[in-house]
Amino acid sequence: MREQLQNLHDQALEALEKANHLEEVESIRLKYFGKKGEMTQILRGMGKLSKEERPKMGALANEVREKLEKALEERKALLEEKKIDLQMEAEDLDVTLTKETIRLGHRHPLLQTMEELENLFIEMGFTVVDGPEIESVENNFDALNSPKDHPSRDLSDTFYIDEDTLLRTHTSPMQIRAMKNLGAPLRIVSSGRVFRPDDVDDTHSPMFHQLEGLVVDKGVTMANLIETLNVFIKEFFGEEMQTRFRPHYFPFTEPSTEVDVTCMKCKGAGCEVCNYTGWSLELLGAGMVHPNVLKNCGIDPDVYSGFAFGLGIDRIAMVKYGIKDIRLLFGNDDRFLRQF
Ligand code: PHE
């Protein structure tokens, strides 16, 4: 019997070591400890032993039983752990897992562009000022010399809050605020949201962003405007970039111009992005501040002159990063945003 117990012990342990599934462990348990199990049989057979042998064999059998029971438990625990590990590997989402490093967020590409633009103008001696998105009709149109019948004042072209208040249609009212608050001479930029009831498409959104610039001083000329914008464009987009100044009309500047910049994609050669013109169109509006606007702000146009410019930050970001659809900028889709 001693030999039988020893064999049973060795075989059971060997089988357990090879068991790789919980089911195998269970069938080993049944094989030895089930109703008709080998160990069960041996324990039952104790009664048939002689009085002298029974205690010795009993002790040995108990020892083997305890060892096997312990080994069974250990193997079971090990395999259970392994099973959880495998499950965790297989599942996409594991809310208990914390060892992944946390991905840090960052500024929205539009805000990055805005800050970059502002920093460039700060280097050029400009001061950054801030103003409200809800603006008076006076600052948005009248003080900017816009005639009462100008189409941009139309109810269908502007979000009015009441007769005298609206969502600003451009950042140009910041010219009025700056001149009235700071007086001449001055050199400011101001950026932020502007609003127009445009239908949404690849390049239009009822809410977009502009940066306004204004310089007022004695003896400021169109040459200063052109040079300032040229320096800015080359600093921002690269030395090889050219500008093209086209005559235009704005009520608050005279003369006025729209500025095109060499297409970023083809560098002027012509491609599908620039409609084979070699130019990115209408990135900037600019001009010499109209004498009426200076007067409206209490600045003597016989002493001072100035230039102003307004640029579309969304368009600039799109040109810079090669974004084809403006809606991506406002969709807040993390898969898009994390690329910047
Ligand atoms: N406010 C004009 C626009 O929104 C741009 C502009 C600003 C033009 C300053 C001239 C001077 O189109």
Side-chain angles (χ1 to χ4, degrees), residues 128-166:
V128 175
V129 297
D130 213 0
E133 291 163 9
I134 297 175
E135 190 46 283
S136 63
V137 172
E138 167 71 22
N139 284 346
N140 195 85
F141 289 128
D142 295 319
L144 283 167
N145 200 40
S146 302
K148 288 259 185 273
D149 57 356
H150 194 276
S152 68
R153 301 181 68 137
D154 210 88
L155 278 178
S156 64
D157 274 338
T158 297
F159 292 113
Y160 285 90
I161 288 168
D162 58 36
E163 266 182 32
D164 308 314
T165 329
L166 42 68

Side-chain angles (χ1 to χ4, degrees), residues 9-59:
H9 172 262
D10 295 347
Q11 279 165 13
L13 284 189
E14 199 187 318
L16 265 183
E17 237 169 82
K18 286 189 193 140
N20 277 323
H21 295 285
L22 287 166
E23 299 83 79
E24 289 174 57
V25 176
E26 178 60 11
S27 68
I28 293 169
R29 192 186 67 80
L30 288 173
K31 179 163 186 242
Y32 296 99
F33 293 104
K35 260 190 192 151
K36 290 185 180 151
E38 292 176 25
M39 193 69 200
T40 316
Q41 307 273 11
I42 292 179
L43 291 171
R44 275 202 199 122
M46 284 293 154
K48 291 180 193 142
L49 295 176
S50 66
K51 269 193 181 162
E52 297 81 54
E53 261 197 302
R54 207 181 294 159
K56 279 194 224 150
M57 281 300 129

